[in-house]
Amino acid sequence: MRKLLIIAWLAGFLAASTHAQSNLWSLAQDSASVHRFSVLFTAQDVGHCLSTEAGMDMAVEWCKSSGITHVFLEEFRDGYLARREILQRARDRFRAAGFLVSGCVTTTIIGKPSSGWGPLVCCYTDLPTQAKLQSAFEYAASMFDEIMIDDFYFCDCKCPECDAARQARRVTIGDKTYPVESDSWSDYHCTLMLHLSQDRVLAAARKTNPKVRLIIKYPQWYDAYQLRGYDVGRESAAFDRIWAGTETRDSTNIEHWGGTVQYEGYFLMRWLGGVGGEKCGGGWYDWLGTTPPNYVEQARQTILAGARETMLFCYGGLNPAAHSDLPPSVPWPTATGQDDMTALRANMPELLATAREVQRRQPLGIAAYKPINSGGGSEARIFDFLGMMGLPLVPCHEFPTNAPAAFFSVHTFDDPNAVTEINDYIKTGRPVLMTDVLVKLLMPRLNLPAPNVRVVAMPEMLENLLVQPQSALDGLRLPLLMAMHVTFRAPDQVALYLFSPDGWVMENFNSEPVSVTLNGQSLNIPARGWLCHWN
């Protein structure tokens, strides 16, 4: 009798589980026009997990039960080329099951190692490496109409061959040469990667498949883009679409993967959304060095930032039952993938509902100005920390002339018109927050002091911004938020997101519940939780 009861219970559990999975798949399909979830099968996943019918059955079922409606099948990663017959069979099987299917190329260990991030990252001054890169994209374009490029597609090489080309201020791509504006490493690497993309990636892929669209995914280390060849202005114009790396992971896990606060995913996604406009598709994050709360926070930041799609990296790490081999570019895998996905599935209905509300609105708040190709110096990633302090930022790459309030960091110094623009903004009487480093760089040309301007000194360790007394934070926020007719009292590490019309979200990144006051209303936010309000 006990055995029968166990069997009956198990049958009921499986039936309920199947029903829940079916509902999640249906919800994901119904929400796809607003936001969809996708997953990457690395080239290694393709070879190990999709080469048999049993492996394909597991992958299709796992994706449906996880609310995945788009799969990316990778052709190349870490020197490994997935076999054509497996890719084509998997592509057709996923399509038949109702999924969108795209390709992906990760340009690691594809040729001559870089003197910097080698052997994963390559020297693209090297002509044979350029040819191998082109061959990988021709291979992918022969099977797929859309190809994602993972964020190892950069160059930091300073080998003798690169140095000679830099000094000559000349980039050579195949049999063509292009001038470089200066002999700086930044100009050389940016010019190299732009023309490499145009000639060896975009043109080559389109010649193979005129319908193909190529997506460049930018990494999350936005303040170093220009130092490694990412010119997001010119590259975003060249590529069909752009994506953002919103993988912040566990900021407290300093040994592996940590040190990045959660708000960075929001800032970067919004900033790139301004750069790319309609070309900006989605955010990409992973399970590495995370806990389930971290993983869900990555999802929230990506969706709050207006992303239309979420890419989950990667199938082999998120579904350990698949017994895939993780590639060398994942040196410190963690065993949290399955638990992370359980948490994501549980939160997916709320995430999709939030995405629907966000897509109907525009962000409202304090302009956070970061010009394209600007570096942060001692204030690198400062925007991430201000967001964690409860300042609702609206990231922008162009000067925010009409913003209700503005924050200017040392990044603004890279705008040649900064003095005139800031002085004109100060004259409007709208509230301004500036760092003392920027003020020192621009004085005495700035019209300071001014009653609407507050100059603040940032600590040498920006992490100290996360442990400030609430009284100090409330005083800092008050004049800036008054410009939006908002009052907000909250401890540190509680982020505020304002939307127009009539929406707000507060997220608590603390490990304990907090009490806050928004516009005179007292509210409680659970530990690692959020509150959303939409009218």
Side-chain angles (χ1 to χ4, degrees), residues 45-116:
D45 288 339
V46 170
H48 288 91
C49 305
L50 305 182
S51 59
T52 65
E53 285 301 314
M56 277 300 314
D57 290 343
M58 176 185 286
V60 168
E61 176 59 24
W62 185 89
C63 289
K64 287 189 173 183
S65 70
S66 302
I68 304 295
T69 59
H70 189 179
V71 298
F72 286 78
L73 305 179
E74 191 173 64
E75 289 68 65
F76 183 91
R77 177 183 288 262
D78 296 357
Y80 178 81
L81 187 71
R83 288 164 49 193
R84 179 180 293 274
E85 61 270 24
I86 299 176
L87 286 162
Q88 291 176 329
R89 186 167 60 248
R91 176 199 64 193
D92 296 344
R93 174 70 186 279
F94 275 118
R95 284 177 178 169
F99 295 88
L100 297 181
V101 187
S102 302
C104 183
V105 172
T106 298
T107 58
T108 43
I109 316 181
I110 203 169
K112 177 185 171 182
S114 166
S115 66

Side-chain angles (χ1 to χ4, degrees), residues 203-475:
R206 289 166 180 165
K207 184 176 181 180
T208 301
N209 177 1
K211 297 185 296 181
V212 74
R213 298 185 305 169
L214 287 108
I215 307 168
I216 184 169
K217 177 216 168 187
Y218 296 116
Q220 41 89 229
W221 31 265
Y222 58 83
D223 270 330
Y225 282 170
Q226 65 281 355
L227 303 179
R228 296 171 183 162
Y230 281 116
D231 184 335
V232 297
R234 293 190 292 174
E235 283 188 311
S236 296
F239 278 88
D240 299 292
R241 298 181 72 196
I242 67 172
W243 278 53
T246 54
E247 64 274 33
T248 53
R249 307 181 177 120
D250 181 358
S251 63
T252 65
N253 184 354
I254 302 302
E255 183 179 4
H256 297 311
W257 310 112
T260 301
V261 295
Q262 296 94 319
Y263 193 87
E264 180 171 286
Y266 177 85
F267 176 84
L268 177 58
M269 189 80 239
R270 282 286 179 196
W271 186 76
L272 285 174
V275 173
E278 289 300 312
K279 285 188 175 185
C280 191
W284 164 320
Y285 50 85
D286 56 51
W287 86 103
L288 299 166
T290 66
T291 63
N294 301 137
Y295 197 71
V296 172
E297 286 163 352
Q298 291 181 137
R300 290 173 181 164
Q301 296 304 295
T302 303
I303 280 176
L304 288 172
R308 298 193 298 273
E309 188 164 344
T310 288
M311 162 76 92
L312 307 178
F313 179 90
C314 61
Y315 175 72
L318 298 172
N319 183 23
H323 301 295
S324 184
D325 280 353
L326 293 175
S329 50
V330 182
W332 304 297
T334 48
T336 59
Q338 184 169 312
D339 291 340
D340 287 348
M341 282 305 301
T342 298
L344 182 64
R345 291 187 192 103
N347 284 269
M348 197 171 286
E350 184 180 27
L351 289 165
L352 290 173
T354 302
R356 191 174 299 276
E357 297 293 345
V358 169
Q359 294 293 348
R360 295 170 178 167
R361 294 169 169 84
Q362 293 297 317
L364 174 68
I366 304 158
Y369 180 40
K370 174 183 159 46
I372 290 175
N373 295 337
S374 61
S378 63
E379 296 175 0
R381 294 182 167 184
I382 193 171
F383 308 105
D384 314 343
F385 292 92
L386 291 189
M388 298 290 287
M389 293 160 52
L391 294 175
L393 303 184
V394 179
C396 54
H397 67 287
E398 296 176 338
F399 191 88
T401 303
N402 299 314
F407 166 66
F408 301 118
S409 64
V410 72
H411 299 79
T412 309
F413 185 71
D414 287 327
D415 179 349
N417 302 312
V419 171
T420 299
E421 291 167 333
I422 292 174
N423 282 333
D424 287 345
Y425 192 93
I426 292 173
K427 288 177 186 177
T428 69
R430 285 170 281 178
V432 176
L433 182 67
M434 299 179 67
T435 67
D436 64 335
V437 175
L438 178 64
V439 170
K440 290 172 183 176
L441 288 170
L442 298 182
M443 287 295 280
R445 295 173 291 165
L446 290 179
N447 295 331
L448 294 177
N452 58 318
V453 178
R454 179 168 179 179
V455 179
V456 292
M458 293 298 166
E460 184 176 344
M461 298 288 291
L462 291 179
E463 290 79 5
N464 290 332
L465 293 172
L466 303 180
V467 291
Q468 298 181 82
Q470 181 175 330
S471 58
L473 290 173
D474 290 344

Side-chain angles (χ1 to χ4, degrees), residues 357 361-362 364 498-504 533-535:
E357 297 293 345
R361 294 169 169 84
Q362 293 297 317
L364 174 68
L498 301 176
F499 297 92
S500 178
D502 301 323
W504 55 255
H533 173 82
W534 315 105
N535 277 339

